[in-house]
């Protein structure tokens, strides 16, 4: 790198940081949320633009402009008031979502990035990769840009890891926020970006969180679905769009519903919301864990052993508490429901028709991510359905603000709540994979709790529970009985397993 280019790059990054700081100080104007009216996309011929602007008095902005046409989003109840459709001004059908996103062209062409840019509008997979990369460049001491895998069509699945990079990861615990398993639910992505923005914009406030936790954020789990929804047709995007399974073509809604593809209870639910039919929008795949997107999330979970997670969707306005699958029974005592209800009571719903509540499910499902994490690792894994489905972006700030207590409460519980935190090693200090068997914790589906092989770590949050009695077991080693109370301090307890003496 030449000296001139190095100076130029440092100057550019510094200028970006200054711009970011100035934008952060700006307040976001608020206005009442819409009443749930359906948004309509209008396609305006270039010769009809003057008429459109006159009739609407410039109150309806263009969302996308092409050479021969412009596009604008209005509410259905305003069509009649403006006299639309009319010559040259018609309802657009079968269009990609990019025409609904008013800032898309501007966002792609920006040459200077600031943190507040991530709050300007909806994001496709292209903008998502761009934003996560530049967020890391602006905040290298509190973030890392990661690629956790590739999609069915070979697109990267980017993530950002938020943590204090000056503090070693040795004693940190991981938490996960993911969005857009279903990429047609673009409002879900905004909840992931709310986590990113709030934590980085208020680093001092959350310094303890940065020091204790590794917060993984995967805003778009399904980049292929994002691609087709944004750039091909809004009728697709729930699935991953890969035409490799079944007798389907590119135009027959190809691919797999990734959030029906996880292994726990895969294919066991008799419900019209999960399907073995390849062209169904709920197609669960040919076998459990068949999709590379599913595998990427499973591999990340195996590596990190998430203590808690939230998967964001839209738009039933509720928090789903595992196990969400009919016919399943939660372990006893139940670690997730009390916290789920506390989260639900903290949310001030912005949906005019439904209160926010905690539920087991809203319909029969199987193969979902939150149940897999809960089963496999004891993750306090929730799914939050946002209050609206892809509303005008001017409504998004109020929506994400109303649901913000969910992720802040979850982080506080992991960082400061009752927990068990062990490092299990042999007598030479090497980490061990051992089974943790609780004396009075009942499992009903063969759940097994183990320490992590890389460092012997075992972490479990126990909301509202104090007294614990357990055994730490590993074949060939003497069993360790442990009895005590959960604690709130951030210090792991070492448990040493000694090899059994050879039989005489």
């Amino acid at each position: 790198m030449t000296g001139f280019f190095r100076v130029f790059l440092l100057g550019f990054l510094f200028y970006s940081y200054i711009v970011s700081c100035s934008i952060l100080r700006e307040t976001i104007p608020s206005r009442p949320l819409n009443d749930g009216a359906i948004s309509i996309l209008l396609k305006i011929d270039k010769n009809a633009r003057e008429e459109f602007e006159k009739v609407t008095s410039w109150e309806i902005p263009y969302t996308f402009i092409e050479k021969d046409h412009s596009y604008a989003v209005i509410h259905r109840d305003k069509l009649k008031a403006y006299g639309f459709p009319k010559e040259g001004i018609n309802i657009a059908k079968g269009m990609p979502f990019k025409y609904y996103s008013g800032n898309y062209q501007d966002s792609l062409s920006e040459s200077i990035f600031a943190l507040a840019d991530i709050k300007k509008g909806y994001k496709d997979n292209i903008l998502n990769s761009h934003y996560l990369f530049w967020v890391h460049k602006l905040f290298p001491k509190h973030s890392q840009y990661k690629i956790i895998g590739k999609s069915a069509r070979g697109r990267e699945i980017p993530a950002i890891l938020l943590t204090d990079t000056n503090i070693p990861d040795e004693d940190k615990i991981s938490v996960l926020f993911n969005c857009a398993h279903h990429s047609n639910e673009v409002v879900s992505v905004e909840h992931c970006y709310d986590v990113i923005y709030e934590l980085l914009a208020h680093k001092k406030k959350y310094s303890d969180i940065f020091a204790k936790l590794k917060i993984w954020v995967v805003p778009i789990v399904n980049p292929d679905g994002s691609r087709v929804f944004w750039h091909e047709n809004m009728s697709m995007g729930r699935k991953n769009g890969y035409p490799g399974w079944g007798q389907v073509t590119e135009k027959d809604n190809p691919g797999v519903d990734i959030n029906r593809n996880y292994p726990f209870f895969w294919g066991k639910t008799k419900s019209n919301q999960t399907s073995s039919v390849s062209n169904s929008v709920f197609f669960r795949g040919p076998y459990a864990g068949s999709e590379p997107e599913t595998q990427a999330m499973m591999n990340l979970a195996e590596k990190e052993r998430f203590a808690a997670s939230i998967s964001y969707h839209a738009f039933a306005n509720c928090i789903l508490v595992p196990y969400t699958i009919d016919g399943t029974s939660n372990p006893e005592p139940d670690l997730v429901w009390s916290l789920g209800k506390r989260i639900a009571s903290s949310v001030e719903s912005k949906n005019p028709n439904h209160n926010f509540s905690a539920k087991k499910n809203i319909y029969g499902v199987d193969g979902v991510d939150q149940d897999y994490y809960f089963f496999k690792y004891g993750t306090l894994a929730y799914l939050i359905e946002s209050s609206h489905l892809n509303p005008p972006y001017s409504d998004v700030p109020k929506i994400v603000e109303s649901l913000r207590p969910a992720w802040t409460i979850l982080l506080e519980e992991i960082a400061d709540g009752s927990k068990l935190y062990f490092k299990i090693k042999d007598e030479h200090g090497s980490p061990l994979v051992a089974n943790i068997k609780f004396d009075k914790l009942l499992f009903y589906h063969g759940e097994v709790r183990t320490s992590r092989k890389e460092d012997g770590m075992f972490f479990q949050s126990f909301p509202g529970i104090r007294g614990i009695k357990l055994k730490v077991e590993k074949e060939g080693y003497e069993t360790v009985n442990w009895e005590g109370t959960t604690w709130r301090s951030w210090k792991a307890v070492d448990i040493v397993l000694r090899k059994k003496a050879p039989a005489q």
Side-chain angles (χ1 to χ4, degrees):
M1 182 184 295
T2 66
F4 172 81
F5 182 75
R6 185 182 294 109
V7 171
F8 173 81
L9 180 60
L10 290 174
F12 169 73
L13 292 175
F14 179 75
Y15 178 72
S16 299
Y17 175 75
I18 296 299
V19 172
S20 174
C21 292
S22 65
I23 293 177
L24 281 173
R25 289 192 292 269
E26 297 177 5
T27 58
I28 300 172
S30 62
R31 69 178 189 83
L33 292 175
N34 72 73
D35 59 2
I38 299 174
S39 295
I40 300 295
L41 182 67
L42 291 178
K43 186 176 184 179
I44 303 117
D45 294 348
K46 64 179 180 180
N47 296 327
R49 288 173 185 167
E50 185 175 346
E51 172 69 8
F52 175 79
E53 294 156 6
K54 179 180 178 181
V55 171
T56 62
S57 301
W58 285 92
E59 293 180 356
I60 307 297
Y62 295 121
T63 59
F64 207 91
I65 299 175
E66 295 178 323
K67 180 179 179 181
D68 296 324
H69 300 93
S70 299
Y71 299 85
V73 177
I74 70 171
H75 290 150
R76 183 187 294 276
D77 56 10
K78 291 186 177 180
L79 282 175
K80 187 175 181 180
Y82 288 130
F84 301 143
K86 59 172 60 178
E87 184 177 356
I89 305 174
N90 296 290
I91 297 174
K93 297 181 179 180
M95 307 298 290
F97 185 77
K98 67 179 179 180
Y99 297 107
Y100 279 76
S101 183
N103 80 317
Y104 187 68
Q105 286 169 308
D106 293 339
S107 298
L108 283 177
S109 62
E110 285 179 339
S111 59
I112 296 177
F113 176 77
L115 181 62
D117 288 345
I118 68 177
K119 299 180 71 120
K120 286 184 177 180
Y122 289 121
K123 303 147 190 74
D124 70 343
N125 60 303
I126 299 171
L127 283 175
N128 178 52
S129 295
H130 173 73
Y131 285 154
L132 295 185
F133 176 80
W134 278 106
V135 164
H136 163 59
K137 289 298 183 182
L138 284 178
F139 299 95
K141 294 181 179 180
H142 292 85
S143 68
Q144 298 175 33
Y145 179 77
K146 301 284 189 178
I147 301 298
I148 65 168
K150 289 189 176 182
S151 69
R153 292 177 180 265
R155 291 187 174 89
E156 293 180 337
I157 305 173
I160 195 163
L161 171 57
L162 304 176
T163 192
D164 188 336
T165 60
N166 290 320
I167 297 177
D169 289 344
E170 181 180 348
D171 294 322
K172 292 177 183 175
I173 297 301
S174 296
V175 176
L176 171 68
F177 299 102
N178 73 77
C179 301
H181 270 79
H182 302 141
S183 287
N184 57 344
E185 299 167 0
V186 295
V187 72
S188 71
V189 177
E190 301 310 311
H191 293 288
C192 275
Y193 272 91
D194 185 56
V195 175
I196 296 169
Y197 181 90
E198 288 298 312
L199 290 177
L200 292 176
H202 306 98
K203 298 187 299 299
K204 184 175 293 187
K205 174 182 176 181
Y206 292 109
S207 60
D208 189 53
I209 295 293
F210 279 110
K212 293 178 178 178
L213 303 182
K214 295 195 296 180
I215 303 163
W216 285 84
V217 185
V218 187
I220 298 181
V221 175
N222 180 8
D224 292 345
S226 177
R227 171 67 190 180
V228 298
F229 181 75
W230 274 77
H231 300 278
E232 296 179 27
N233 195 312
M234 282 180 60
S235 66
M236 298 190 290
R238 179 183 176 89
K239 298 160 71 177
N240 65 355
Y242 183 65
W245 309 120
Q247 299 302 311
V248 296
T249 68
E250 291 285 347
K251 296 182 179 179
D252 290 333
N253 196 21
V256 171
D257 182 339
I258 300 169
N259 210 38
R260 300 292 185 271
N261 191 237
Y262 289 84
F264 183 67
F265 265 62
W266 180 86
K268 293 185 178 181
T269 300
K270 305 302 180 184
S271 166
N272 59 7
Q273 306 293 322
T274 178
S275 177
S276 60
V277 179
S278 59
N279 62 357
S280 166
V281 295
F282 304 111
F283 178 46
R284 57 180 171 256
Y287 55 87
S290 62
E291 303 310 289
E293 299 90 347
T294 315
Q295 295 164 18
M297 297 301 291
M298 291 169 59
N299 291 337
L300 183 64
E302 172 65 21
K303 174 178 175 287
E304 297 296 325
R305 300 292 184 95
F306 295 114
S309 72
I310 295 179
S311 180
Y312 285 96
H313 292 254
F315 64 120
N317 199 42
C318 60
I319 181 170
L320 302 185
V321 182
Y323 290 122
T324 64
I325 299 172
D326 293 333
T328 56
S329 299
N330 282 21
E332 296 179 10
D334 196 331
L335 302 180
V336 285
W337 264 99
S338 60
L339 180 59
K341 289 179 179 178
R342 178 152 64 93
I343 290 173
S345 66
S346 71
V347 171
E348 180 184 353
S349 174
K350 295 300 181 182
N351 187 298
N353 301 314
H354 304 285
N355 292 327
F356 191 87
S357 60
K359 298 180 179 181
K360 179 179 177 71
N361 60 31
I362 49 180
Y363 42 68
V365 293
D366 56 36
V368 295
D369 70 324
Q370 66 173 131
D371 286 349
Y372 173 76
Y373 300 145
F374 185 52
F375 164 78
K376 185 75 172 177
Y377 307 110
T379 304
L380 304 185
Y382 300 95
L383 186 151
I384 288 184
E385 292 270 351
S386 189
S387 57
H388 294 69
L389 177 63
N390 310 342
Y393 199 81
S394 56
D395 290 343
V396 167
K398 290 295 184 181
I399 293 171
V400 298
E401 181 183 5
S402 71
L403 289 169
R404 190 173 300 151
W407 64 260
T408 58
I409 289 173
L410 194 66
L411 292 181
E412 290 166 359
E413 181 64 38
I414 300 304
D416 301 321
S418 299
K419 62 182 74 69
L420 292 180
Y421 187 9
F422 298 135
K423 291 289 183 71
I424 301 172
K425 305 175 182 179
D426 65 15
E427 49 199 316
H428 304 293
S430 299
L432 292 174
V433 177
N435 292 335
I436 292 83
K437 296 185 176 180
F438 295 91
D439 184 47
K440 294 183 179 180
L441 185 59
L442 302 179
F443 294 114
Y444 298 98
H445 301 292
E447 295 93 331
V448 177
R449 300 290 177 253
T450 63
S451 54
R452 186 167 59 187
K453 66 179 181 179
E454 291 82 3
D455 55 8
M457 182 274 290
F458 176 80
F459 182 99
Q460 179 71 65
S461 182
F462 282 91
I465 297 177
R466 295 292 291 164
I468 298 288
K469 187 176 181 181
L470 56 83
K471 294 180 179 180
V472 183
E473 298 180 345
K474 183 175 178 61
E475 186 176 356
Y477 290 79
E478 296 177 0
T479 296
V480 170
N481 295 297
W482 187 92
E483 184 173 359
T485 61
T486 58
W487 60 89
R488 295 179 180 272
S489 65
W490 200 258
K491 183 174 177 56
V493 171
D494 289 333
I495 292 182
V496 178
L497 298 186
R498 303 182 183 278
K499 280 196 172 183
K500 291 181 178 178
Q504 299 295 324

